[in-house]
Amino acid sequence: MNQMTSRMLNRVKAVYLYIRENGTVTTAEIAEEFGITDRTTQRDLSVLTHNGLISSPVRGKWKITDKHVKIS
């Protein structure tokens, strides 16, 4: 795995953990917390959504799903 892929996966994991710890958060809060662009935030959220780990009950707000996750 190349360095860029590893960095992206670590950030996606960190975004998931941030949402899990803070409850429902906005896209803007995530971008600000991680110092990333809106586009990068959307890309990370898409990865998490595609894997069924988060959902957006209200546009622009995110929460984790009930899917069991083993964090390593």
Side-chain angles (χ1 to χ4, degrees):
M1 180 170 13
N2 69 35
Q3 182 180 13
M4 194 168 222
T5 302
S6 178
R7 187 172 56 221
M8 187 225 19
L9 291 174
N10 286 333
R11 188 183 60 243
V12 170
K13 179 180 175 182
V15 168
Y16 174 78
L17 293 173
Y18 178 77
I19 297 169
R20 188 169 87 171
E21 291 170 7
N22 293 285
T24 303
V25 297
T26 66
T27 304
E29 289 171 333
I30 295 167
E32 183 177 325
E33 175 70 21
F34 293 93
I36 54 179
T37 65
D38 290 342
R39 179 65 191 119
T40 300
T41 304
Q42 287 299 328
R43 193 177 305 119
D44 292 351
L45 293 171
S46 291
V47 169
L48 292 168
T49 301
H50 178 76
N51 287 288
L53 300 174
I54 64 170
S55 66
S56 180
V58 178
R59 187 174 180 174
K61 294 189 178 186
W62 302 90
K63 68 176 191 167
I64 64 167
T65 63
D66 294 332
K67 186 173 183 176
H68 179 71
V69 178
K70 182 180 178 182
I71 307 273
S72 57

